Amino acid sequence: MQPQIVLLKEGTDTSQGKPQLISNINACQSIVDAVRTTLGPRGMDKLIVENNGKATISNDGATIMKLLDIVHPAAKTLVDIAKSQDAEVGDGTTSVVLLAGEFLKQLKPFVEEGVHPRIIIKAVRKTLSLCIARINELAFKIEKHDNEKHRALLEKCAATAMNSKLIHQQKDFFSKMVVDAVTTLDVLLPLNMIGIKKVTGGALEDSMLIDGVAFKKTFSYAGFEMQPKSYDNVKIALLNIELELKAERDNAEVRVDNVQEYQKVVDAEWQILYDKLEKIHKSGAQVVLSKLPIGDVATQYFADRDMFCAGRVQEEDLKRTLKACGGAVMTTVQDIDDKVLGTCAHFEERQVGGERFNIFQGCPNAKTCTLILRGGAEQFLEETERSLHDAIMIVRRTIRNDSVVAGGGAIEMELSKMLRDYSRTIAGKEQLLIGALAKALEIIPRQLCDNAGFDATNILNKLRQKHAQGCQWYGVDILKEHIADNFEAFVWEPSVIKINALTAACEACCMILSVDETIKSPKSGGGEMPQAPMGRGMGRPF
């Protein structure tokens, strides 16, 4: 009788081998089912309610994945690839999850039959390199020197990104706006220089693009009504100073024995404030923005001298104003002069819906712009912002990587055909595995059909026939419930989306396939008494 050897702490959950691999694949399937129906122009939206009762309506894959509270360790890899796709390219977040899930689904029978995961992983890697080579070969390069053509192309890409979103009816209006926004930026195309502000009320078409900085009027004190509301060639002081009388709540103690001395203390406090205000006025600034509050005395003081002020400006707005208008954010008023003041051609305060907006236009360093979105409900505006974020990212990517492919399942069908043809030229297990992965790529057009309520089998058969005849850009035509040449129909996507999505999906797939054991340690006693190990203690019955 050999004693049992215990290596791991009691209560550790270990599961390993083939059943573990299959259960990981099944967990990923259920995640895919959660976002499957959001793909494409006819995709459905998800309503996610969090613990605190906040409801989010979205069909952006990455947003849904972030909001799903997933605990399964293998399934979390799918959340990570959706996030990475969102950060890197911006669009194609649902596609990447679908592809990874479908790869696993098609490979599951091979795992069950006992094909070694390493052989499968090798086939997946081989498939990926073939696909990327084929995409680069097929991708259509853009001529950048023809500005009109280039702009038209960017608008098409933005419109394709918005096709599947809530705002697809207004895609022409917004795609122009997004292209204008991105093309005003400098060469590095920094995302944080495009501000998006939401104002409820009005129609979506009332949304506007401001070439410069705009932000909501901040909390204001008495006297702001008397301040001028528009200036030309204005000088702007950016501060990080509190301009109001402080109520001393600290443990300060001042002992005075007559009224005159008390008056001196009060006068000194007022004098400090007035000195600050005078220095700001003398610097020649006409607009004063501060990150900290500007009190009613200061507001009145500026109003009497025809100056405009706004306190409690958000940090990101202040930073964008700084970058656009020049100058520096000052933390003291001692050395405010022309060198540290920003300038812009025109400043005005304008009513937008129920909000007042401070708008700076014609900034000398202006490589920034602000989108002011209008619309009905709060959730609707948030989803519009997410949709525009995707479109903005796509336009940025297209400017940087100047090649596009046809969307709507066309490129996937072409890759699928290429892989199928290739698999027939090789022998061994890889032939079957690459064939299975070729079938997995068809999930994108298939899901597009399913989400639109078409007969997927019928349409896929037509597509296979067309691609076999060499019509490489044929994809699903959602409008006519048929197939069409999506390159001519201008359903274009930057090829970098597809490459990134396939790479991320294959990596996730390989990672999940390479795990054959999960070890979960029990939580170390979080404040609870450690439980006695099971065994025969004193007086415990048999």
Side-chain angles (χ1 to χ4, degrees):
M1 292 285 289
Q2 292 224 333
Q4 187 183 359
I5 299 171
V6 179
L7 283 177
L8 300 170
K9 199 161 118 193
E10 283 206 34
T12 305
D13 172 26
T14 63
S15 44
Q16 64 191 103
K18 204 193 296 179
Q20 174 60 42
L21 193 48
I22 301 291
S23 101
N24 284 351
I25 292 178
N26 292 344
C28 295
Q29 281 323 122
S30 48
I31 297 240
V32 173
D33 290 339
V35 291
R36 183 185 288 278
T37 53
T38 64
L39 184 77
R42 296 285 184 270
M44 309 298 270
D45 294 356
K46 304 286 176 204
L47 171 62
I48 300 166
V49 185
E50 291 168 58
N51 294 344
N52 57 6
K54 182 177 183 287
T56 310
I57 298 176
S58 177
N59 77 354
D60 177 37
T63 308
I64 297 167
M65 299 296 266
K66 275 179 206 157
L67 292 173
L68 290 176
D69 199 1
I70 291 164
V71 289
H72 193 287
K76 273 190 182 159
T77 51
L78 293 189
V79 182
D80 293 340
I81 57 171
K83 282 184 185 168
S84 81
Q85 178 82 0
D86 195 35
E88 184 59 28
V89 194
D91 198 20
T93 45
T94 312
S95 312
V96 76
V97 176
L98 262 180
L99 282 168
E102 191 64 18
F103 285 161
L104 289 169
K105 184 179 168 185
Q106 295 294 344
L107 294 170
K108 185 173 151 190
F110 295 98
V111 176
E112 284 168 343
E113 284 164 16
V115 178
H116 196 278
R118 282 287 148 206
I119 295 174
I120 301 180
I121 290 171
K122 190 178 164 203
V124 173
R125 296 251 157 85
K126 177 79 178 152
T127 303
L128 177 63
S129 57
L130 286 170
C131 285
I132 292 176
R134 181 72 175 141
I135 292 177
N136 289 331
E137 188 186 313
L138 285 173
F140 175 74
K141 278 269 188 267
I142 309 150
E143 291 104 22
K144 283 192 175 174
H145 47 76
D146 187 346
N147 277 348
E148 273 191 18
K149 260 189 185 171
H150 190 222
R151 193 192 153 82
L153 171 108
L154 293 177
E155 281 180 18
K156 306 260 172 29
C157 286
T160 306
M162 280 187 244
N163 250 339
S164 58
K165 305 292 180 205
L166 205 62
I167 48 172
H168 60 92
Q169 269 114 353
Q170 286 83 10
K171 66 179 181 196
D172 294 343
F173 170 75
F174 279 117
S175 55
K176 286 189 178 66
M177 197 186 264
V178 165
V179 174
D180 286 339
V182 179
T183 45
T184 54
L185 301 180
D186 60 10
V187 188
L188 290 171
L189 304 174
L191 247 193
N192 58 354
M193 296 310 277
I194 299 180
I196 297 184
K197 302 289 172 197
K198 306 186 281 282
V199 184
T200 44
L204 270 174
E205 277 84 3
D206 298 339
S207 304
M208 55 190 162
L209 175 71
I210 286 163
D211 188 6
V213 184
F215 51 85
K216 279 181 192 169
K217 178 160 185 60
T218 49
F219 181 81
S220 346
Y221 284 98
F224 79 94
E225 298 92 339
M226 296 146 62
Q227 295 177 344
K229 298 296 183 237
S230 96
Y231 296 95
D232 285 327
N233 298 324
V234 53
K235 293 194 171 172
I236 306 160
L238 304 166
L239 308 174
N240 191 358
I241 309 173
E242 199 159 2
L243 296 174
E244 63 179 340
L245 290 170
K246 277 288 215 1
E248 287 301 341
R249 291 193 191 80
D250 299 341
N251 300 340
E253 192 176 303
V254 180
R255 296 194 176 193
V256 290
D257 48 16
N258 58 25
V259 177
Q260 280 79 15
E261 281 187 16
Y262 175 66
Q263 190 59 43
K264 277 181 190 166
V265 173
V266 175
D267 287 352
E269 226 180 342
W270 281 84
Q271 199 50 50
I272 291 169
L273 180 63
Y274 275 126
D275 283 352
K276 281 183 183 172
L277 296 175
E278 193 179 355
K279 287 201 169 95
I280 294 171
H281 173 55
K282 281 191 176 155
S283 70
Q286 292 144 304
V287 172
V288 182
L289 302 177
S290 176
K291 203 164 113 182
L292 296 171
I294 294 181
D296 38 11
V297 178
T299 309
Q300 199 70 50
Y301 182 96
F302 289 141
D304 294 343
R305 286 160 184 71
D306 276 354
M307 292 161 73
F308 177 90
C309 70
R312 297 185 186 170
V313 177
Q314 285 183 347
E315 188 167 6
E316 59 164 322
D317 291 330
L318 205 64
K319 277 185 179 163
R320 284 181 45 236
T321 313
L322 170 73
K323 282 188 177 162
C325 303
V329 175
M330 301 300 289
T331 49
T332 166
V333 292
Q334 296 311 321
D335 41 8
I336 290 190
D337 56 17
D338 262 6
K339 287 200 284 292
V340 297
L341 293 181
T343 55
C344 77
H346 186 64
F347 165 81
E348 69 168 319
E349 185 180 299
R350 196 190 302 168
Q351 187 82 20
V352 180
E355 305 278 356
R356 305 279 301 166
F357 266 79
N358 300 335
I359 297 172
F360 299 84
Q361 284 174 305
C363 312
N365 312 0
K367 297 291 184 192
T368 174
C369 55
T370 310
L371 292 160
I372 297 181
L373 303 181
R374 306 296 311 278
E378 190 75 21
Q379 277 106 340
F380 186 77
L381 275 174
E382 281 177 10
E383 178 62 5
T384 306
E385 183 186 1
R386 280 192 289 269
S387 312
L388 287 180
H389 168 262
D390 281 13
I392 287 167
M393 291 288 283
I394 287 302
V395 174
R396 279 180 69 213
R397 282 282 162 230
T398 316
I399 290 176
R400 291 237 185 109
N401 310 51
D402 49 352
S403 63
V404 291
V405 292
I411 186 78
E412 284 84 1
M413 286 306 289
E414 184 57 28
L415 293 175
S416 177
K417 167 190 169 267
M418 179 271 298
L419 287 175
R420 219 178 255 119
D421 293 350
Y422 173 78
S423 72
R424 294 192 184 118
T425 64
I426 53 175
K429 292 175 191 166
E430 274 196 358
Q431 177 182 21
L432 295 169
L433 292 167
I434 292 180
L437 291 166
K439 189 174 177 203
L441 280 170
E442 291 181 354
I443 184 65
I444 301 284
R446 180 181 295 276
Q447 200 58 48
L448 285 173
C449 296
D450 285 346
N451 290 354
F454 303 162
D455 179 353
T457 317
N458 189 10
I459 287 182
L460 280 176
N461 284 339
K462 289 178 186 167
L463 279 176
R464 285 192 200 107
Q465 179 201 6
K466 280 288 182 194
H467 281 268
Q469 289 166 357
C471 307
Q472 58 197 28
W473 293 128
Y474 265 75
V476 183
D477 183 349
I478 294 289
L479 302 172
K480 297 188 182 130
E481 194 174 337
H482 198 63
I483 59 173
D485 187 330
N486 279 349
F487 205 80
E488 282 179 15
F490 299 124
V491 182
W492 291 355
E493 298 186 78
S495 55
V496 67
I497 296 188
K498 296 299 175 197
I499 291 176
N500 213 57
L502 280 165
T503 310
C506 288
E507 277 172 7
C509 180
C510 292
M511 201 166 115
I512 290 165
L513 286 169
S514 63
V515 172
D516 74 336
E517 180 166 5
T518 306
I519 303 172
K520 260 192 192 165
S521 294
K523 281 202 177 77
S524 48
E528 302 162 20
M529 288 289 290
Q531 288 184 337
M534 295 293 284
R536 282 198 57 242
M538 276 202 27
R540 182 173 287 196
F542 280 102

